[in-house]
Amino acid sequence: MKHLYKILSVVLILYTIVWGLLNPVPRLDILNETIRNVYYHVPIWFAMLFQMGLSLFYSIKSLGTQALLNDAKAQTSAETGLFFAIPGILTGSIWARYTWGTFWTFQDPKLNGVAIGILIYLAYFILRSSITDEIKRTRIAAVYNIFAFVMLNVFIMILPRLTDSLHPGNGGNPAFGKYDLDSNMRLVFYPACVGWILFSYWIFEVKTRFIHLKKLNDEE
Amino acid sequence: MKSKCWLLLLFLSGLVTFTNAQTPPPEMADVFRADGKIYVVIAVMALVFISLVILLLIIERRLKKLENKFNK
């Protein structure tokens, strides 16, 4: 029963690989077939956001009981989230090259926001590694992580909606409204999001167990 | 009068071809699908993903072995 979510994530992602390429999609100019990237590029960002949320959750927990254990989990989930941000940026860059005409544009607030967000989380790891005292590190890192999550959401969720953006669902209108996704695409898109979020949790779990083992090994 | 009629006809035919040229249907990978080769891509993508999952499973098994060793 413990492994059910892993099986579910693999089944869901395999389903999106197969049906994501076969199902009919809206015929749109410029986008053409690349509209299918929605099934693969966007869920990776959702997995990243989920991991950062998990990191926030464990950071808050680490301020209470079992500080060290929860702190290790907060660090692992932030690492996993950052790991997902890399393919997220790279896939987005390729997609942008063939639809917007450039790998990276500074006109788009979401691209800049996500770059700043990644820097904020890199600073989190630098902050962690610069403090040797464990208890002190736990507390400072936790407080910084709360700040980092808020800033990440400001930069990728709020600011792009206030100005014009090349991303759909920005510049006022809600994302994935009825104009962006038709019901055929929802059929693949939502399972893809759930699948990748579960898959990211799997990676998080494996990493956590590894860190736990490392700690046991260091104590001996 | 006749030349004017011809001019009008020419203009209209030009308009028709112009509007036709303006709205070609968006290009999709229809030929690619008609050839049936899209299944090859799906197979490759699925294989890549499955190999990653197998890697994760192998790592997990090794972790479990180590965990058992430490817990003894």
Side-chain angles (χ1 to χ4, degrees), chain B residues 3 6 8 16-17 20 23 34 44 46 51 58-59 63:
Chain B
S3 65
W6 274 114
L8 191 71
V16 167
T17 45
N20 274 352
T23 53
V44 169
S51 55
I58 290 171
I59 293 172
L63 267 180

Side-chain angles (χ1 to χ4, degrees), chain B residues 25-71:
Chain B
E27 222 177 285
M28 300 300 249
D30 292 323
V31 182
F32 194 47
R33 274 192 187 70
D35 288 346
K37 298 230 169 64
I38 193 78
Y39 303 107
V40 184
V41 182
I42 292 172
V44 169
M45 282 172 76
L47 200 77
V48 168
F49 180 67
I50 287 169
S51 55
L52 282 177
V53 169
I54 289 172
L55 173 72
L56 211 51
L57 285 174
I58 290 171
I59 293 172
E60 226 179 14
R61 232 176 63 184
R62 287 192 188 151
L63 267 180
K64 194 156 228 168
K65 266 186 199 161
L66 278 174
E67 276 170 355
N68 288 339
K69 214 168 114 188
F70 271 105
N71 287 337

